[in-house]
Amino acid sequence: MPDHEETPNSAVDAAVSAARAILDETWRVVSETPYASRELGRTVDRLPDIGLDAVSRRTRDGKEILARIARVDTDLLPGDLAITLAASHTMAARWAREEDWYWLAFDPMGVGFFSMFAPAAYSGGFLLNIVHEALEKVTIGDEVTIDRYLALIDEYGRLVRQLGERTAGQADRGIIMPAAQLTRATPLFRGLKGVARGVLRAVAERSPELSHLGLVETRITAEVDPAFDELVQILESTTYADRAPDVVGMAHYPGGEEVYAELVRIHTTLDLSPAEVHDRGHARMARIREDMRALVAQVGFEGTPLEYLAYLADDPAWRATTPEEITVFFDRYIDRFAPEVDTYFGSRPRAGYGVVPLPAASAGTMTFGYYSPPQPDRDRGLYLFNAANLSRAALPMVAALNYHELVPGHHFQMATQREATQFHPIRRHAPVNAFDEGWAEYAARFAGEIGMYREPEERFGRLVMEAFLTSRLVVDTGMNAHGWTLEQAREYMRENAFMDTAEIDSETLRYSCDIPAQALAYKLGDDFLYELREELRVTLGDDFSLVGFHDAVLRGSGLPLPLVAAHVRQELTRAHPNEKAGTEGRRRFVRDSAAHVTRAERGGGR
């Protein structure tokens, strides 16, 4: 392959121009998603469209982008542009299959979190919560007139109707929500009806024009209330409820086995089969259980790891009952890591960070909580913790949770990603599940390597989190690919995940009925980054820099894991004596990175 110096400038310029145009088109599609709109802090001018026609348009966009990428000679591109173009290929390949998958798995947020059933917490529930967050920032005035706001209320009703239309369309095709999920879906959307009313009315209540409230109330009654009622009626109808199966998992539906195998690749960005993931989970869990037994023996406790956790639940030192007391736990570990940042990281995000309680309305749908990156109207990253759940159990795992969610985990990575103005917007704002969760878990592992789990209880807490996340590799693949029943999965988690019954019930439905394969990213991504680090430590010897590795990985945000490896190798080998090998390795990874997604161009499953 000729070097750039031997290639006519016109050919290089044409390839660069074509690649940049493709990236801009990819960003246009990404920027229209609800997730990106929230990230960019846009004033709401329209609500998401999740109907089949809109999905078909995105599929056409994806196929066109793939065709344009195929015409670009990537060997003529600068390294970072070539890698970013390969990331664009991954996104477009995902979009290219959406129309074919629509009735079995759809992507309401537009970020690759394919959901089976719309009336579920992480699907339609999460989508409507994102819409509510956006509407809470709307004020009727110069920017959003009353007529435009009334149109938004109409769109809200349309969005809820689309959730119902997809549910009815699935039923027409024999795809019915499992009974265990159905019992949760109906109360969830009854509750969301009330939440929606409150959010939509609050916009008018902030308006100085008293007449606005009456207009808004009339429009909600005419458009939004009936849409929720129609969806609930579908779920409660005997023609739907009487057909709800007792079995769970994608493999029980036509084409589900093939689609799930592709979802494993989408969420891990690795060419792994469900069987390989399942086996890795069992092997990983065996190592964790052995480490737990050794730690329990070391502290002189006579009993099982599960009994040790119950023992800690009776220790006031590891309990908290109020949000303020739980915050003290998190602050302990935030303060502990702060002096170590400069030793192991060459750069840090400008944005600050902290913790706040999760709103009560969301407490029933989240096990621990979630991290929210800095927003245009909020210059801090926040971890919103579920105080209701955390107050019911011992808290030795808060250290690991903190290092996963904040520093050096999600906050370090996501805030750094958004502040990297040198990158194209698709690198700054498009989430990649395998990288985002893989880095966060690598960060929690790394905290242990440098002694951040000082007490045996904290080390045990880290193992508890490891067991919980590792159990997902087994039960997610078990239910969706290996025919496991819901009770089999719950029994496995009762034995291995160290969670209470309510959390296990919620988590197993998340994996089997809501967003299958998403939970696989955490530990597989962690292992990938750890193994990459150790490989480079051996390859580079004395030239290896831990600070350099961490900074290079963080600059790889927004990329699938194979491209992260290509990027890190390129950066760390640039000054290495074997620089040419590093360059060739980068080119090889750029060419090979798309191999695991080419199935999308041949069609996935129905």
Side-chain angles (χ1 to χ4, degrees):
M1 187 64 62
D3 292 330
H4 290 191
E5 292 79 2
E6 300 172 2
T7 305
N9 287 337
S10 58
V12 174
D13 291 345
V16 168
S17 178
R20 288 175 175 165
I22 292 167
L23 296 183
D24 289 342
E25 176 63 11
T26 305
W27 173 240
R28 179 192 67 78
V29 179
V30 171
S31 66
E32 294 176 352
T33 66
Y35 181 90
S37 294
R38 181 181 70 165
E39 291 295 291
L40 297 170
R42 291 173 173 160
T43 300
V44 180
D45 58 358
R46 66 182 185 275
L47 297 188
D49 189 339
I50 59 170
L52 182 56
D53 288 345
V55 169
S56 297
R57 287 194 297 272
R58 193 155 65 200
T59 289
R60 289 194 295 272
D61 288 338
K63 290 179 178 179
E64 174 59 26
I65 290 170
L66 291 176
R68 290 173 64 181
I69 291 174
R71 296 193 290 268
V72 176
D73 184 350
T74 57
D75 282 334
L76 300 182
L77 301 177
D80 190 68
L81 181 58
I83 286 177
T84 305
L85 187 66
S88 172
H89 184 288
T90 300
M91 295 177 199
R94 191 177 73 223
W95 301 330
R97 72 194 80 185
E98 285 194 51
E99 183 177 11
D100 286 343
W101 287 5
Y102 181 73
W103 295 111
L104 182 57
F106 81 128
D107 184 10
M109 290 296 297
V111 295
F113 281 26
F114 285 87
S115 178
M116 291 180 69
F117 299 103
Y122 287 87
S123 180
F126 193 72
L127 175 63
L128 293 184
N129 283 333
I130 293 295
V131 170
H132 295 164
E133 285 183 19
L135 289 172
E136 286 168 354
K137 300 176 183 178
V138 170
T139 300
I140 299 174
D142 294 338
E143 197 168 0
V144 179
T145 65
I146 181 59
D147 289 339
R148 180 62 198 127
Y149 185 61
L150 292 175
L152 281 175
I153 295 175
D154 292 344
E155 289 191 32
Y156 192 106
R158 183 263 305 156
L159 177 58
V160 177
R161 283 194 300 275
Q162 286 179 330
L163 295 174
E165 288 164 0
R166 181 176 180 275
T167 302
Q170 283 184 306
D172 291 342
R173 292 161 176 80
I175 302 172
I176 306 288
M177 184 185 301
Q181 179 66 57
L182 183 57
T183 60
R184 293 175 177 241
T186 302
L188 172 64
F189 274 80
R190 284 191 186 281
L192 283 170
K193 176 183 176 181
V195 173
R197 275 194 141 273
V199 171
L200 293 167
R201 279 177 55 92
V203 176
E205 290 168 351
R206 292 194 296 269
S207 170
E209 298 288 337
L210 296 179
S211 62
H212 289 169
L213 183 56
L215 292 171
V216 166
E217 178 65 35
T218 299
R219 193 63 63 92
I220 293 171
T221 301
E223 296 294 331
V224 177
D225 288 349
F228 274 105
D229 292 343
E230 290 164 12
L231 175 55
V232 171
Q233 286 169 9
I234 292 171
L235 299 176
E236 291 184 331
S237 67
T238 55
T239 56
Y240 191 90
D242 289 353
R243 297 162 61 198
D246 293 325
V247 296
V248 298
M250 294 197 79
H252 294 289
Y253 299 94
E257 187 174 355
E258 294 80 6
V259 172
Y260 180 71
E262 291 300 318
L263 290 179
V264 171
R265 295 182 179 93
I266 286 174
H267 283 294
T268 67
T269 70
L270 303 172
D271 193 12
L272 293 172
S273 70
E276 289 173 312
V277 175
H278 192 78
D279 291 344
R280 287 191 185 196
H282 279 299
R284 235 183 168 282
M285 187 63 77
R287 294 194 298 270
I288 292 168
R289 294 306 297 253
E290 183 58 36
D291 289 344
M292 282 185 166
R293 285 189 287 269
L295 189 150
V296 168
Q298 180 184 352
V299 299
F301 181 81
E302 295 182 0
T304 67
L306 189 59
E307 290 168 338
Y308 181 61
L309 184 61
Y311 164 77
L312 294 180
D314 292 330
D315 186 345
W318 297 102
R319 294 298 300 268
T321 57
T322 68
E324 293 75 18
E325 291 174 351
I326 296 171
T327 298
V328 170
F329 268 85
F330 282 98
D331 286 344
R332 175 192 305 169
Y333 302 116
I334 289 172
D335 294 342
R336 183 179 293 179
F337 195 86
E340 308 297 329
V341 171
D342 290 339
T343 303
Y344 299 105
F345 296 88
S347 60
R348 67 175 75 186
R350 295 185 299 274
Y353 53 95
V355 296
V356 295
L358 188 72
S362 302
T365 61
M366 303 268 177
T367 300
F368 296 115
Y370 69 94
Y371 170 76
S372 177
Q375 305 293 324
D377 61 346
R378 169 170 50 79
D379 61 2
R380 289 202 312 156
L382 293 176
Y383 179 61
L384 292 86
F385 61 85
N386 191 331
N389 277 357
L390 292 177
S391 65
R392 290 200 297 261
L395 299 179
M397 73 287 295
V398 167
L401 188 61
N402 178 79
Y403 297 133
H404 175 109
E405 298 290 350
L406 290 173
V407 172
H410 278 320
H411 176 72
F412 235 48
Q413 177 254 315
M414 292 185 182
T416 297
Q417 179 182 10
R418 283 149 183 77
E419 293 175 10
T421 56
Q422 74 273 23
F423 289 144
H424 193 279
I426 66 172
R427 290 276 300 279
R428 294 171 58 201
H429 295 289
V432 176
N433 189 37
F435 183 88
D436 296 349
E437 299 300 347
W439 169 263
E441 264 307 282
Y442 168 85
R445 181 202 294 236
F446 179 72
E449 292 180 302
I450 61 172
M452 290 295 99
Y453 307 120
R454 294 175 182 170
E455 304 298 328
E457 294 88 349
E458 293 164 350
R459 293 194 293 277
F460 184 78
R462 170 60 185 156
L463 289 171
V464 166
M465 291 298 295
E466 284 254 35
F468 164 53
L469 296 175
T470 297
S471 73
R472 293 170 159 185
L473 303 180
V474 177
V475 299
D476 196 305
T477 53
M479 290 184 289
N480 289 294
H482 294 299
W484 279 29
T485 66
L486 194 59
E487 181 52 35
Q488 276 181 281
R490 288 173 173 175
E491 180 60 26
Y492 182 88
M493 293 192 77
R494 284 192 288 268
E495 292 177 359
N496 294 286
F498 297 85
M499 303 170 69
D500 68 29
T501 298
E503 292 167 346
I504 288 172
D505 290 352
S506 176
E507 287 288 313
T508 47
L509 290 175
R510 168 184 167 179
Y511 313 146
S512 61
C513 304
D514 206 338
I515 44 176
Q518 184 273 335
L520 306 179
Y522 297 69
K523 297 315 303 180
L524 294 176
D526 169 21
D527 286 344
F528 183 94
L529 294 174
Y530 176 82
E531 290 163 8
L532 175 65
R533 186 190 78 186
E534 295 309 294
E535 171 202 323
L536 288 168
R537 190 193 300 275
V538 171
T539 300
L540 300 179
D542 292 341
D543 290 330
F544 177 78
S545 163
L546 189 57
V547 171
F549 174 79
H550 286 156
D551 288 358
V553 170
L554 288 171
R555 285 191 290 270
S557 292
L559 297 174
L561 293 177
L563 295 185
V564 173
H567 166 79
V568 172
R569 286 190 173 92
Q570 179 187 14
E571 288 213 0
L572 295 193
T573 59
R574 186 174 291 144
H576 192 264
N578 196 12
E579 182 177 346
K580 184 174 186 298
T583 301
E584 290 303 317
R586 187 268 301 169
R587 288 178 176 172
R588 184 182 68 253
F589 270 88
V590 169
R591 287 194 298 268
D592 292 349
S593 64
H596 69 290
V597 293
T598 54
R599 290 180 179 83
E601 298 168 55
R602 300 195 298 268
R606 297 293 192 271

